[in-house]
């Protein structure tokens, strides 16, 4: 049963109760569909009724998959796990990424995690530092512009094999970002 934090935001954004979504899923035989097909049906239902229909279609599909026990929170449709840890900063977008890149190049926990050198790319709204981890997962650290001109830092690791590995990685990223922010 979906008891996670996705339900209330879904209900507010889509202006539809969770019970109504479950009735829609039952009528669509969604339990027998792939994640992609569930999200597609929800998107068709939402299209033209709201902004970001695609994003909300994904949210509804994931919450439904939690509800039927197909996946647990943090689990991706491929069976692997993903986490994100974010923090606000007082730095601007580019300065935050420059400082993160410098920190990451000398941080033992970050360097021990990586299997390759990180690559940085970006736009005027988001800069991304990404690399493959030694365990085969992917690491993405994003500097994302906020409305007030400052930026948030978001560390995401995806492709982890188990909930336990996901929990351990989350704790590690909390510690890494805490250390990083203390050095600013």
């Amino acid at each position: 049963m979906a008891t996670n934090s996705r339900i209330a935001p879904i209900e507010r954004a889509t202006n539809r109760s969770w019970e109504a979504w479950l009735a829609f899923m039952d009528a669509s035989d969604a339990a027998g569909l792939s994640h992609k097909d569930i999200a597609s049906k929800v998107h068709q239902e939402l299209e033209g009724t709201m902004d970001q229909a695609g994003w909300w279609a994904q949210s509804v599909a994931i919450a439904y998959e939690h509800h039927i026990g197909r996946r647990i929170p943090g689990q991706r449709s491929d069976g692997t796990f993903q986490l994100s840890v974010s923090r606000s900063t007082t730095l601007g977008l580019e300065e935050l990424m420059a400082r993160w890149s410098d920190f990451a190049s000398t941080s033992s926990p970050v360097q021990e995690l990586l299997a390759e050198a990180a690559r940085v790319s970006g736009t005027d709204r988001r800069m991304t530092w990404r690399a493959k981890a030694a365990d085969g997962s992917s690491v993405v650290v994003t500097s994302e512009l906020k409305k007030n001109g400052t930026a948030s830092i978001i560390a995401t690791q995806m492709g982890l094999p188990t909930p336990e590995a996901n929990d351990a990685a989350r704790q590690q990223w909390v510690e890494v970002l805490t250390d990083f922010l203390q050095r600013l």
Side-chain angles (χ1 to χ4, degrees), residues 101-123:
S101 295
D102 288 345
F103 170 83
S105 69
T106 61
S107 167
S108 294
V110 175
Q111 289 303 306
E112 290 168 7
L113 175 68
L114 302 182
E116 63 183 26
R119 302 170 312 282
V120 177
S121 61
T123 67

Side-chain angles (χ1 to χ4, degrees), residues 10-174:
I10 286 169
E11 290 178 326
R12 279 191 305 276
T14 64
N15 201 27
R16 187 179 294 195
S17 71
W18 184 242
E19 291 74 25
W21 276 116
L22 292 177
F24 172 81
M25 296 297 182
D26 288 345
S28 300
D29 295 321
L33 300 176
S34 69
H35 170 81
K36 181 179 177 181
D37 291 339
I38 295 169
S40 178
K41 283 195 177 288
V42 174
H43 186 265
Q44 289 170 5
E45 181 74 4
L46 291 173
E47 198 168 34
T49 67
M50 63 182 302
D51 291 336
Q52 300 178 331
W55 193 90
W56 286 106
Q58 290 293 326
S59 291
V60 172
I62 291 167
Y64 178 71
E65 289 174 316
H66 291 168
H67 177 79
I68 64 172
R70 184 178 293 170
R71 66 163 111 173
I72 61 176
Q75 190 174 28
R76 297 163 39 114
S77 61
D78 66 1
T80 64
F81 291 82
Q82 173 178 321
L83 66 97
S84 288
V85 177
S86 64
R87 300 289 184 265
S88 294
T89 76
T90 58
L91 301 176
L93 180 77
E94 291 179 14
E95 183 180 1
L96 177 57
M97 184 52 67
R99 289 200 186 185
W100 166 257
S101 295
D102 288 345
F103 170 83
S105 69
T106 61
S107 167
S108 294
V110 175
Q111 289 303 306
E112 290 168 7
L113 175 68
L114 302 182
E116 63 183 26
R119 302 170 312 282
V120 177
S121 61
T123 67
D124 61 342
R125 305 233 6 105
R126 177 179 297 126
M127 296 189 76
T128 305
W129 176 99
R130 66 182 78 235
K132 273 288 192 197
D135 64 5
S137 65
S138 298
V139 177
V140 177
V141 177
T142 306
S143 172
E144 193 164 292
L145 189 62
K146 295 174 12 178
K147 289 180 184 177
N148 66 1
T150 63
S152 293
I153 187 165
I154 303 112
T156 303
Q157 191 167 349
M158 58 204 104
L160 293 160
T162 65
E164 295 78 18
N166 202 58
D167 291 344
R170 179 181 306 283
Q171 182 58 41
Q172 182 177 16
W173 282 108
V174 166

